[in-house]
Amino acid sequence: MSDPLGRHTNKCDDCKGVGKWLLYGKIYGKFPCPQCKGKGFVVENLDEQIQRKIRCGDILLIKYRLDPIGFLIRLFSHCQWNHVAWFINDHELVELKATKKVITPLKRYLNKWLYKIKLVRPIYISKISLKQAITFAKSKNLHYSYLSIILAFILVKFNLSKYLQRPTCSGFIALCLYTVYWKFNDKNTALITPKDIEMSKIVKDVSYELPK
């Protein structure tokens, strides 16, 4: 059930969807229901709506608006995105940061002043394979130096994957998916960039499921 704005709603428990003030199960005068203000429904919490729509395995493309390192990464990769994170459930993401792999809550990236985001979803992959790939990602214990991420993107820029000492954030997701024989494209998984993920023919844009 949705309201005219497309937000998910539930029938008001107080008035049973009538919109009028009920007393002992009967309409009492012409007073509107105080719970739903006469609408007959209540709009669900926005965070709950977002988390319900986002699926395990969805990928979040991220632009750090105020980060100089992120600017350099976008410069090297010729892409508007400098980071990616992977949903391991409906409210948490696994991501490879500059120095280590972390689990991050979704709410972190909903700040539109700090981040621009886009949501994409891999297709042609079974739920079992996706679960196996995510389990692999969660099992990895990775730690690196801060400057290693800059070096990694420089090597990716010049297709020098054999010298890579660490994966990039997008390369990490590509590697995990490759363990179940799923690839974004024909490139070496170590050379996958956020742009490759965005432009892949086997992911679809589901950004409409993000808040406006």
Side-chain angles (χ1 to χ4, degrees):
M1 179 178 175
S2 300
D3 71 353
L5 297 178
R7 297 173 298 182
H8 196 274
T9 61
N10 286 323
K11 183 188 293 185
C12 178
D13 290 331
D14 286 9
C15 69
K16 310 303 180 186
V18 176
K20 300 295 185 181
W21 189 8
L22 295 185
L23 187 63
Y24 301 114
K26 296 182 179 180
I27 296 176
Y28 182 73
K30 297 182 179 180
F31 300 106
C33 170
Q35 175 68 20
C36 65
K37 296 180 173 50
K39 297 176 182 177
F41 61 83
V42 290
V43 178
E44 288 189 5
N45 179 274
L46 180 60
D47 287 339
E48 292 177 356
Q49 293 183 51
I50 297 164
Q51 293 169 8
R52 185 181 57 254
K53 292 181 179 180
I54 290 174
R55 299 180 188 176
C56 175
D58 286 354
I59 299 169
L60 198 65
L61 298 165
I62 305 160
K63 174 183 177 181
Y64 284 55
R65 297 186 186 276
L66 304 175
D67 182 27
I69 302 299
F71 172 77
L72 290 175
I73 292 172
R74 294 195 300 274
L75 184 66
F76 285 126
S77 61
H78 301 289
C79 179
Q80 65 172 318
W81 313 106
N82 60 270
H83 188 56
V84 294
W86 201 18
F87 281 94
I88 57 175
N89 53 48
D90 61 0
H91 62 280
E92 291 181 316
L93 307 102
V94 62
E95 54 183 337
L96 189 58
K97 304 288 278 187
T99 59
K100 61 182 178 179
K101 184 203 78 179
V102 297
I103 305 297
T104 305
L106 164 63
K107 290 183 179 181
R108 171 191 174 98
Y109 291 116
L110 297 182
N111 186 328
K112 295 183 179 181
W113 293 99
L114 298 178
Y115 308 102
K116 178 181 178 180
I117 56 177
K118 179 179 181 178
L119 187 67
V120 297
R121 180 170 296 156
I123 56 178
Y124 307 126
I125 183 171
S126 69
K127 290 183 178 180
I128 293 176
S129 295
L130 200 53
K131 183 177 180 180
Q132 291 175 343
I134 289 173
T135 299
F136 178 81
K138 292 164 64 176
S139 70
K140 302 295 285 183
N141 186 21
L142 305 174
H143 293 273
Y144 303 100
S145 67
Y146 190 80
L147 292 178
S148 67
I149 185 62
I150 300 298
L151 177 60
F153 268 97
I154 293 174
L155 293 174
V156 168
K157 166 69 175 176
F158 294 103
N159 294 325
L160 299 174
S161 60
K162 64 181 179 179
Y163 298 109
L164 275 173
Q165 300 298 311
R166 58 158 294 168
T168 61
C169 56
S170 47
F172 172 66
I173 295 175
L175 172 64
C176 295
L177 286 167
Y178 188 62
T179 63
V180 293
Y181 308 105
W182 192 97
K183 296 181 68 175
F184 291 104
N185 53 36
D186 292 332
K187 289 175 64 174
N188 184 322
T189 56
L191 299 177
I192 293 294
T193 66
K195 184 176 182 179
D196 290 314
I197 294 176
E198 181 182 31
M199 302 302 294
S200 173
K201 295 181 179 179
I202 50 177
V203 304
K204 64 177 182 178
D205 183 357
V206 290
S207 296
Y208 56 83
E209 296 186 346
L210 289 168
K212 302 299 181 183

